[in-house]
Every structure is written in C-alpha cells, then in structure tokens.
C-alpha cells in the first residue's frame, strides 16, 4: 500500500477534486519560490503555527489538501477528520510539502518538509 492509499484509508471520507476550473483556482493560490516553498511575501500576515491551531485557523469544516507531487489529486476533506488521532501524519507523509486551503480559499497553511508549519491569508 502506498502512502497516498494509507492517507485515503485514514481519512475514510473525502472528495477527489476533478473540476479543472476549481483545480486552477486552487493552484493559483500557491505562490511558490524556486525552492517549492510558499513565498510568504505574497500573503497577508504569515505566522508560524502549531498543529493544534490548524482547525481554528482554517475556520471551517472542510479544506482542500494539495501535495507537491502532481501525481496526487487535490482532496477536499473535513478538518476534524484530518486532525483525528494521527490522521494528520498520514496526510503529511504523502508529499514533502503539503498545503491546506480553507474551503472559502482565504486562508492557507503550508507544511514544509523541514518541519515548518506556516499559516497566512491569501490575497483576493
């Protein structure tokens, strides 16, 4: 079983995003540097957060999950389900870098492979 399959098994309930326009919108929220890290100069109020702060920062029931490996589709999942037990680690294991975008696309969290968790608001 792959890490991606283990992630899906842990989450149990999720939606695979197949809408190309929605994908395009979500990818447009990722302002990356040449190293593959978000360029936080292009976001509002970036700050380091803890894992416990993820649900409150995203501020809703659902969020989108994007990995740095384009082989894996974008998922939409319940934030409580992502945070349940150790599911967050199953999600993060899929790629080196993982991004969580709020359902309304106004907030973003980056888990960078050097164990950095940074949150910011997106520009409209």
């Amino acid at each position: 079983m792959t890490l991606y399959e283990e992630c899906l098994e842990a989450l149990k309930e999720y939606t695979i995003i197949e809408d190309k326009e929605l994908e395009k919108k979500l990818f447009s929220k990722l302002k990356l540097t040449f190293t593959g890290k978000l360029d936080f100069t292009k976001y509002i109020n970036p700050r380091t957060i803890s894992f416990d702060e993820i649900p409150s920062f995203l501020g809703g029931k659902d969020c989108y999950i994007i990995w740095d490996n384009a082989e894996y589709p974008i998922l939409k999942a319940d934030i409580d389900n992502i945070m349940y037990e150790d599911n967050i680690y199953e999600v993060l294991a899929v790629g080196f870098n993982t991004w969580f975008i709020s359902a309304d696309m106004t907030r973003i969290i980056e888990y960078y492979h050097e164990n950095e968790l940074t949150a910011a608001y997106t520009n409209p």
Side-chain angles (χ1 to χ4, degrees), residues 6-57:
E6 288 179 24
C7 170
L8 297 182
E9 187 175 283
L11 291 177
K12 292 181 182 54
E13 293 181 27
Y14 53 86
T15 302
I16 295 174
I17 303 303
E18 296 177 357
D19 178 330
K20 296 300 177 194
E21 285 302 310
L22 178 55
E23 279 184 354
K24 198 172 168 180
K25 251 181 153 170
L26 288 163
F27 283 128
S28 76
K29 298 295 181 181
L30 300 179
K31 312 292 186 200
L32 301 174
T33 66
F34 72 95
T35 63
K37 184 176 172 78
L38 287 180
D39 181 352
F40 283 105
T41 65
K42 297 181 179 176
Y43 294 90
I44 300 164
N45 196 25
R47 63 184 177 94
T48 301
I49 64 169
S50 69
F51 283 100
D52 293 340
E53 294 175 275
I54 292 173
S56 61
F57 182 80

Side-chain angles (χ1 to χ4, degrees), residues 4-123:
Y4 177 71
E5 291 167 332
E6 288 179 24
C7 170
L8 297 182
E9 187 175 283
L11 291 177
K12 292 181 182 54
E13 293 181 27
Y14 53 86
T15 302
I16 295 174
I17 303 303
E18 296 177 357
D19 178 330
K20 296 300 177 194
E21 285 302 310
L22 178 55
E23 279 184 354
K24 198 172 168 180
K25 251 181 153 170
L26 288 163
F27 283 128
S28 76
K29 298 295 181 181
L30 300 179
K31 312 292 186 200
L32 301 174
T33 66
F34 72 95
T35 63
K37 184 176 172 78
L38 287 180
D39 181 352
F40 283 105
T41 65
K42 297 181 179 176
Y43 294 90
I44 300 164
N45 196 25
R47 63 184 177 94
T48 301
I49 64 169
S50 69
F51 283 100
D52 293 340
E53 294 175 275
I54 292 173
S56 61
F57 182 80
L58 291 174
K61 185 170 172 56
D62 294 325
C63 72
Y64 297 99
I65 305 167
I66 303 174
W67 291 281
D68 61 352
N69 185 337
E71 181 179 320
Y72 304 117
I74 298 171
L75 298 183
K76 186 175 187 179
D78 181 308
I79 191 63
D80 291 332
N81 196 17
I82 293 168
M83 299 306 295
Y84 181 71
E85 293 184 353
D86 288 336
N87 289 355
I88 186 71
Y89 300 108
E90 298 290 346
V91 172
L92 298 177
V94 173
F96 286 111
N97 304 323
T98 305
W99 299 281
F100 301 94
I101 299 177
S102 62
D104 64 3
M105 296 186 214
T106 62
R107 288 155 284 177
I108 190 166
I109 295 174
E110 173 181 70
Y111 177 79
Y112 190 66
H113 68 271
E114 293 179 357
N115 209 26
E116 297 172 18
L117 194 60
T118 308
Y121 295 91
T122 61
N123 288 315

